[in-house]
Amino acid sequence: EYLLEIRTLCLGQGRFVDVAATTKRLIELEPSNIDHWFILGNAYTELGQADLAIEAFRTAIELDPHDSRSQWADRFIQRYESP
């Protein structure tokens, strides 16, 4: 609960390094929580770290390929992996 509050505060302040760090800790506690993976991917995207974002989005897609965010993440991956 405390980590979620910290992450929400960091998101609101645009502190994406802290968002990523907090979210990685949350993933250690709840590795199958798809929300954490999407937030981590978005944080990495904001930080310009597309490779790490793709890894996070791929995990999210594996967890729930039918989630509407998975479709968006798949398009993101295709855009960055296209030659």
Side-chain angles (χ1 to χ4, degrees):
E1 186 82 20
Y2 175 69
L3 289 173
L4 289 172
E5 291 177 21
I6 290 174
R7 181 176 70 189
T8 300
L9 177 65
C10 293
L11 273 169
Q13 296 176 350
R15 295 172 31 207
F16 296 106
V17 170
D18 295 327
V19 171
T22 305
T23 303
K24 287 193 291 187
R25 178 68 180 118
L26 286 162
I27 287 170
E28 290 175 10
L29 300 171
E30 300 177 304
S32 63
N33 185 317
I34 192 171
D35 294 329
H36 297 329
W37 289 103
F38 279 118
I39 291 171
L40 183 61
N42 287 326
Y44 284 140
T45 299
E46 291 292 335
L47 293 168
Q49 298 177 334
D51 291 344
L52 293 174
I54 287 170
E55 287 180 35
F57 290 143
R58 278 201 173 118
T59 301
I61 291 168
E62 289 173 14
L63 288 170
D64 187 356
H66 302 291
D67 186 289
S68 62
R69 296 169 294 180
S70 292
Q71 295 170 11
W72 177 89
D74 189 51
R75 287 191 301 273
F76 175 90
I77 292 168
Q78 288 177 14
R79 185 173 51 232
Y80 277 91
E81 291 187 333
S82 295

